[in-house]
Amino acid sequence: MDGIDELTREERFDALVAAEEKVEPADWMPEAYRKGLIRQIAQHAHSEIIGMQPEGSWITRAPSLKRKAILLAKVQDEAGHGLYLYAAAETLGVTRDELVDHLVQGRQKYSSIFNYPTLTWADIGAIGWLVDGAAIVNQVPLCRCSYGPYARAMVRICKEESFHQRQGYELLHTLAHGTPAQHAMAQDALDRWWYPSLAMFGPPDTDSVHSARSIQWKIKRFSNDELRQRFVDMCVPQAEVLGLRIPDDNLRWNPDRGAHDFTPPDYDELKRVITGDGPCNAERMAHRRAAHDDGAWVREAAAAYASKRAA
Ligand SMILES: [Fe+2]
Ligand SMILES: [Fe+2]
């Protein structure tokens, strides 16, 4: 392929993206676009899978059969999200096995939020409300992402995330309007999950490595700080209905900006958690590796069955 053809392909790709059309797996795409998407979709898939752990540990301890059934369905949905996303990544020329290897070898990341512990039942409510809530704010714009398979996977994921957020909110609302001890438990969960949830939007725009290009290619639509602001503005009235206090003395409406002023999360802590030094990083990875090893016989049996049928 000579230089002129290369330019034409690139121009055609740029025009397609500019026209808000979808890039499909068979289309030519710049190598950096492909690699960047694999990194982002894999990280997203890994987050869904690792994200099952903090909540999964509460399935056996849910306070009623109804709560147990709801949580079981929710955690199962997260496994499904991981599968849709691994499948979307595979259309870019990697295999799910490779991506899972990258995760268990610690060569690809997952969301920092899942390295925090779930200490009480109220944490399950706080995760649904705040963590799934932040995921929705992040992910709704991804339904319009320029890469077709990722955008389509996100449509279904976002519908399920919205159920997740409501179940968490309803759980927390029940506790916040229960006994004083239950209210205190709900407040304590909000106190612990608020800033890690704000950190889910990533580093501030001034430090964000991948943002500018992602926005140019219409993978990302809004910057980290824009999405964080949107999340805070969404949570303030919801916290009022819950009767809980967001743990930020500087949180107030700013009429000039038409938005809330707030204290940003501790970005040094975010950096530490991302690089492996969070409260539960080692535990999450050990659990994931053990589950992967324990499941080896299932993968082998499935492969043997598939090859038998093919023969
Ligand atoms: Fe999910
Ligand atoms: Fe979710």
Side-chain angles (χ1 to χ4, degrees), residues 11-21 146 216-218 221:
E11 280 172 354
R12 227 182 287 142
F13 174 85
D14 288 343
L16 188 86
V17 170
E20 296 284 335
E21 282 179 41
S146 59
Q216 182 204 329
W217 275 334
K218 301 194 176 168
R221 299 280 174 164

Side-chain angles (χ1 to χ4, degrees), residues 48 77-78 81 132 139 157 161 164:
E48 302 284 357
D77 282 352
E78 306 299 6
H81 298 172
D132 289 277
Q139 291 169 12
I157 290 177
E161 296 300 2
H164 297 170

Side-chain angles (χ1 to χ4, degrees), residues 51 129 141 288:
W129 175 38
R288 184 69 218 122

Side-chain angles (χ1 to χ4, degrees), residues 4-272:
I4 293 171
D5 279 349
E6 183 74 22
L7 188 69
T8 321
R9 288 193 307 192
E10 189 124 27
E11 280 172 354
R12 227 182 287 142
F13 174 85
D14 288 343
L16 188 86
V17 170
E20 296 284 335
E21 282 179 41
K22 296 291 177 223
V23 179
E24 296 298 339
D27 294 339
W28 181 89
M29 61 190 83
E31 200 44 27
Y33 177 86
R34 196 182 70 85
K35 287 220 169 100
L37 266 175
I38 291 175
R39 183 193 56 80
Q40 182 176 337
I41 300 174
Q43 184 169 323
H44 192 166
H46 300 330
S47 301
E48 302 284 357
I49 298 299
I50 298 280
M52 294 164 73
Q53 289 186 39
E55 292 181 287
S57 71
W58 277 93
I59 290 172
T60 53
R61 295 179 282 170
S64 70
L65 184 59
K66 181 182 133 190
R67 293 292 181 195
K68 195 189 291 277
I70 294 171
L71 184 58
L72 196 59
K74 197 252 187 197
V75 172
Q76 197 166 282
D77 282 352
E78 306 299 6
H81 298 172
L83 294 185
Y84 311 155
L85 289 163
Y86 284 128
E90 282 188 316
T91 64
L92 291 159
V94 279
T95 66
R96 187 166 138 198
D97 282 347
E98 286 174 78
L99 298 177
V100 171
D101 282 346
H102 288 337
L103 171 64
V104 295
Q105 290 160 8
R107 288 195 282 139
Q108 277 176 341
K109 310 256 179 247
Y110 56 87
S111 175
S112 58
I113 192 76
F114 302 118
N115 291 312
Y116 290 86
T118 38
L119 303 180
T120 71
W121 174 247
D123 288 17
I124 299 306
I127 289 180
W129 175 38
L130 297 173
V131 176
D132 289 277
I136 293 169
V137 171
N138 249 328
Q139 291 169 12
V140 164
L142 287 173
C143 298
R144 294 192 293 127
C145 148
S146 59
Y147 188 58
Y150 192 26
R152 290 188 288 271
M154 289 321 301
V155 173
R156 179 159 174 192
I157 290 177
C158 283
K159 287 194 175 138
E160 293 179 350
E161 296 300 2
S162 127
F163 155 72
H164 297 170
Q165 191 196 21
R166 282 163 206 215
Q167 69 81 33
Y169 190 77
E170 192 270 338
L171 195 168
L172 217 50
H173 190 274
T174 305
L175 286 176
H177 293 82
T179 65
Q182 287 172 327
H183 182 94
M185 192 197 273
Q187 181 64 54
D188 170 64
L190 172 54
D191 291 347
R192 283 179 293 106
W193 287 93
W194 176 250
Y195 287 104
S197 299
L198 292 188
M200 282 175 72
F201 296 93
D205 292 351
T206 43
D207 292 357
S208 183
V209 204
H210 303 292
S211 275
R213 207 152 197 205
S214 280
I215 286 180
Q216 182 204 329
W217 275 334
K218 301 194 176 168
I219 296 170
K220 266 185 96 143
R221 299 280 174 164
F222 303 98
S223 76
N224 294 355
D225 288 332
E226 283 171 325
L227 293 170
R228 195 170 0 250
Q229 179 73 58
R230 188 177 291 186
F231 177 69
V232 171
D233 292 338
M234 182 186 90
C235 287
V236 169
Q238 294 176 348
E240 269 167 36
V241 174
L242 288 175
L244 297 177
R245 183 188 167 274
I246 292 176
D248 181 356
D249 292 334
N250 298 315
L251 182 68
R252 62 183 58 86
W253 179 251
N254 180 332
D256 297 333
R257 291 200 306 116
H260 291 88
D261 291 337
F262 62 96
T263 306
D266 178 350
Y267 293 117
D268 290 332
E269 175 180 321
L270 173 64
K271 231 175 259 171
R272 284 196 303 276

